[in-house]
Amino acid sequence: MVNLEVKLKDLVLKNPVMTASGTFGFGEEFADFIDLSDLGGIIVKGTTRHHREGNPYPRMAETPSGMLNAVGLQNKGVENFCQDIYPRIKDYQTNVMVNVSGSVIEDYVETAAMINELEHIPGIELNISCPNVKEGGMAFGTSCASAEEVVRAVRQVYKKHLMVKLSPNVTDIASIAKAVEGQGADSVSLINTLLGMAIDAETRKPLLSTVTGGLSGPCVKPVALRMVWQVAQAVKIPVVGLGGIMNAKDAIEFILAGATAIQIGTANFIDPQVSVKIVEGIKEYMIRHQVSDINDLIGAINLK
Amino acid sequence: MKKLIQDFELVKYEELNCEHFVLDIKANEPLPEILPGQFVNVRVDNNNSVFLRRPLSIHNVDYDRNVIQLFVKRIGEGTKSLGKLKIGDKLSVVYPLGNSYSIPKNAKTLLIGGGCGVAPLLYLSKFLHEAGNEVTTILGVRSSYDAVGLKAYEPYGRILVTTEDGSQGEKGYPTQHSVLENESFDYSFTCGPEPMMKAVAAYSESKGISCEVSLENTMACGFGACLCCVTDTKKGNKCVCTEGPVFNIKDLKW
């Protein structure tokens, strides 16, 4: 038997595999394919203070080894989440966290405060890194001062686990991580998507309605891995790694780079069972390498 | 309806012409109920440059043999690679996805397909026929060379053709076929290029009949998780993969 349990501060995950916001709906979309209780946690779709229609179609373009998206945080708002969605998902036998986004600080605060009242939601992931909304979103996550401001404000009203999702579209991600740690973040997750773009040469038109969008998939993995490694050395709070993880080998690499847990994102679209396969694959790796506790692998990159 | 992910095996490959082909893929176990208009999302494993699955309409279903038939046109990297599969190759399939066309009873139904948009209409005509409807299918193609697979429709009703060059059937677009003016219908169903479907929608509105269209927006997941394939409806953005692909035109902003 191997121990897969990890802790993000006080939040216990039965294994380090979570699913990334925006790629896993509210979990329900995957219930036909997997048993959600096999996962360490799920992070449901980005939720904002008010209903958002998101961006116009087209919102997606395939790229070599990945995809661009420009969904733009389409969601029905936090009140709808609390009333309609929460009752349906609250009894999942896994950690259900809500990704919270906003355009202004008051929106983040009000949304977080409402989710704070939901007994079965043990934490939120504060999204200060969405590249697809005109106001706010990524803007909060690209300077230390604005990242500190939003985390400080949310920390005052949100009493459970506060994970902050960082943007890779910065010069020095470690300094942003330290800034949010200083304001009381319980963990950081990284990376959100990289700002990218695609053009149809035949029509000379952009492939996304918003021209630019967020790049994800295995094409971003080396960048994500590097950033997780840098951040893990810079902060004391747990780091949750994501970005292009397609299989257990990728997941192990992030853990070795310093991630306490990992999130599966774009891979869910291609194989809706990939998250549980990765849990199994991590177990097999540990048995093969005679590692009895997953915690012994965190940050265990051999630099000698 | 429960969605599945299963490995299918390619058991038959039929080249219709240099652009179109039909794949017969077989499951290892009995197929679930599959409705007309639903689609599959297949993984293209024989081409590393194809990252996402490819959504394809279900052309026909043979429950006795656990076979789903896919009607495919070579357009991009994904469909070209599917055309290179060999008998016995495995194909990962997520299905059955999406909603379905509605099936009236004992009515006069008109089906209009253009190009590879004909794909779901064969299975639909089968359902309509079995529900006692009179089925008229018009397939619009560029020339007689593209008028492929017509025989399959014959058991279920009348099959008419329009060609842009006049080489077979009536010359023109399917929405210009004389049967549209000479006869009346109770319901219309369409799949194909958007301008053609909009013409079918306009015809149906002018006649005051119900019209259902099948949209083919690009999608990443196919089951409502990514929110990439939305279409703008009178009730806001709706996922084509879960709330479609079939929409009644009264719900669209066409």
Side-chain angles (χ1 to χ4, degrees):
Chain A
M1 271 302 279
V2 292
N3 175 47
L4 285 173
E5 185 180 294
V6 294
K7 280 173 89 175
L8 300 174
K9 283 221 172 153
D10 297 329
L11 185 66
V12 178
L13 310 186
K14 68 184 79 163
N15 63 61
V17 179
M18 309 179 85
T19 54
S21 176
T23 68
F24 208 68
F26 293 102
E28 297 167 310
E29 292 82 351
F30 287 77
D32 282 350
F33 302 112
I34 60 170
D35 183 347
L36 297 168
S37 68
D38 288 338
L39 298 174
I42 67 175
I43 301 180
V44 301
K45 178 69 190 158
T47 299
T48 53
R49 178 67 188 85
H50 302 289
H51 170 96
R52 283 181 60 93
E53 269 302 290
N55 293 319
Y57 180 83
R59 293 175 168 186
M60 193 278 288
E62 191 177 38
T63 70
S65 298
M67 58 177 275
L68 287 157
N69 90 81
V71 172
L73 292 173
Q74 177 180 324
N75 80 101
K76 291 181 175 166
V78 66
E79 274 143 4
N80 176 269
F81 177 81
C82 294
Q83 285 157 22
D84 289 359
I85 297 165
Y86 174 68
R88 302 202 305 257
I89 67 175
K90 69 181 177 60
D91 295 323
Y92 289 164
Q93 296 301 303
T94 187
N95 292 296
V96 180
M97 294 174 66
V98 181
N99 179 284
V100 170
S101 202
S103 301
V104 293
I105 287 186
E106 293 72 44
D107 288 355
Y108 279 103
V109 170
E110 287 173 28
T111 307
M114 289 169 79
I115 294 172
N116 192 57
E117 302 305 311
L118 304 177
E119 188 191 346
H120 297 277
I121 303 291
I124 60 172
E125 180 181 61
L126 199 67
N127 183 356
I128 56 169
S129 43
C130 177
N132 291 323
V133 291
K134 279 202 185 91
E135 302 90 23
M138 190 172 88
F140 286 106
T142 50
S143 87
C144 290
S146 56
E148 281 175 348
E149 196 184 355
V150 65
V151 173
R152 180 161 58 234
V154 169
R155 183 74 284 181
Q156 284 173 8
V157 300
Y158 193 74
K159 306 304 176 194
K160 296 184 242 177
H161 190 92
L162 176 59
M163 183 185 292
V164 180
K165 189 169 186 176
L166 304 181
S167 172
N169 303 299
V170 294
T171 311
D172 179 10
I173 195 166
S175 66
I176 310 273
K178 279 196 276 193
V180 302
E181 179 183 39
Q183 297 304 322
D186 295 312
S187 63
V188 285
S189 56
L190 62 144
I191 57 173
N192 205 319
T193 54
L194 277 152
L195 195 61
M197 175 170 167
I199 301 173
D200 182 335
E202 296 301 318
T203 62
R204 304 188 184 190
K205 288 186 172 167
L207 286 173
L208 300 174
S209 68
T210 47
V211 185
T212 62
L215 181 66
S216 65
C219 56
V220 309
K221 197 193 90 180
V223 177
L225 196 60
R226 180 264 294 179
M227 289 185 162
V228 164
W229 182 61
Q230 289 176 325
V231 168
Q233 292 175 89
V235 298
K236 294 188 181 66
I237 54 176
V239 175
V240 178
L242 71 150
I245 297 176
M246 299 298 286
N247 51 47
K249 178 183 139 308
D250 293 340
I252 294 286
E253 291 174 28
F254 277 80
I255 294 167
L256 292 172
T260 299
I262 54 102
Q263 294 179 15
I264 313 300
T266 303
N268 290 312
F269 300 152
I270 295 162
D271 180 357
Q273 296 174 325
V274 70
S275 51
V276 294
K277 287 179 187 167
I278 288 174
V279 176
E280 287 308 307
I282 291 173
K283 261 188 229 169
E284 284 165 22
Y285 173 92
M286 290 171 66
I287 292 165
R288 193 156 48 82
H289 286 265
Q290 296 176 321
V291 177
S292 58
D293 187 346
I294 186 80
N295 291 280
D296 294 338
L297 289 174
I298 299 169
I301 177 175
N302 184 354
L303 293 169
K304 286 183 198 129
Chain B
M1 293 172 78
K2 188 177 162 73
K3 295 180 281 287
L4 305 168
I5 177 168
Q6 284 175 352
D7 280 340
F8 279 61
E9 183 186 336
L10 183 69
V11 291
K12 189 178 168 201
Y13 174 94
E14 188 185 358
E15 188 95 7
L16 298 175
N17 62 23
C18 70
E19 281 188 327
H20 300 89
F21 56 92
V22 173
L23 299 178
D24 284 14
I25 58 171
K26 184 178 168 61
N28 283 328
E29 46 198 288
L31 297 172
E33 183 186 18
I34 296 171
L35 300 173
Q38 289 192 302
F39 64 98
V40 297
N41 211 3
V42 302
R43 196 159 168 168
V44 183
D45 280 330
N46 57 343
N47 184 337
N48 283 336
S49 71
V50 179
F51 180 63
L52 298 166
R53 287 175 182 267
R54 290 295 185 266
L56 299 167
S57 290
I58 292 167
H59 188 50
N60 211 344
V61 178
D62 182 343
Y63 286 105
D64 294 336
R65 294 168 51 232
N66 305 332
V67 165
I68 293 177
Q69 206 166 58
L70 307 171
F71 181 99
V72 188
K73 182 180 181 183
R74 289 185 180 87
I75 296 176
E77 285 289 315
T79 47
K80 282 176 192 162
S81 299
L82 287 172
K84 290 176 186 157
L85 290 173
K86 302 270 179 287
I87 302 298
D89 281 354
K90 291 278 187 287
L91 198 62
S92 168
V93 181
V94 178
Y95 80 112
L97 300 173
N99 66 356
S100 61
Y101 288 105
S102 43
I103 306 296
K105 283 195 173 75
N106 307 318
K108 282 193 75 175
T109 60
L110 175 67
L111 284 61
I112 298 186
C116 58
V118 304
L121 298 186
L122 176 64
Y123 195 48
L124 172 62
S125 60
K126 192 183 204 173
F127 271 72
L128 290 171
H129 173 74
E130 283 166 8
N133 297 288
E134 199 179 305
V135 181
T136 299
T137 305
I138 308 176
L139 299 185
V141 291
R142 282 169 308 190
S143 73
S144 60
Y145 181 73
D146 294 319
V148 288
L150 303 183
K151 268 214 159 336
Y153 293 82
E154 286 172 1
Y156 313 119
R158 176 170 53 159
I159 176 87
L160 303 169
V161 175
T162 62
T163 51
E164 288 172 35
D165 65 359
S167 56
Q168 189 173 341
E170 291 191 14
K171 184 175 177 175
Y173 294 120
T175 46
Q176 296 168 325
H177 198 282
S178 59
V179 77
L180 269 63
E181 287 312 317
N182 297 338
E183 297 182 25
S184 64
F185 299 93
D186 305 314
Y187 295 88
S188 71
F189 305 90
T190 181
C191 185
E194 199 167 296
M196 184 207 77
M197 292 199 291
K198 283 185 169 164
V200 176
Y203 159 82
S204 304
E205 274 191 333
S206 75
K207 300 288 181 188
I209 64 172
S210 159
C211 175
E212 290 182 349
V213 303
S214 178
L215 304 183
E216 345 185 83
N217 291 6
T218 53
M219 51 187 70
C221 69
F223 48 85
C226 71
L227 309 186
C228 289
C229 65
V230 293
T231 190
D232 188 17
T233 73
K234 287 174 184 164
K235 289 179 184 165
N237 283 324
K238 300 281 183 198
C239 279
V240 166
C241 68
T242 49
E243 301 192 60
V246 178
F247 291 88
N248 194 299
I249 55 161
K250 69 177 170 22
D251 298 323
L252 296 175
K253 288 182 175 173
W254 279 16

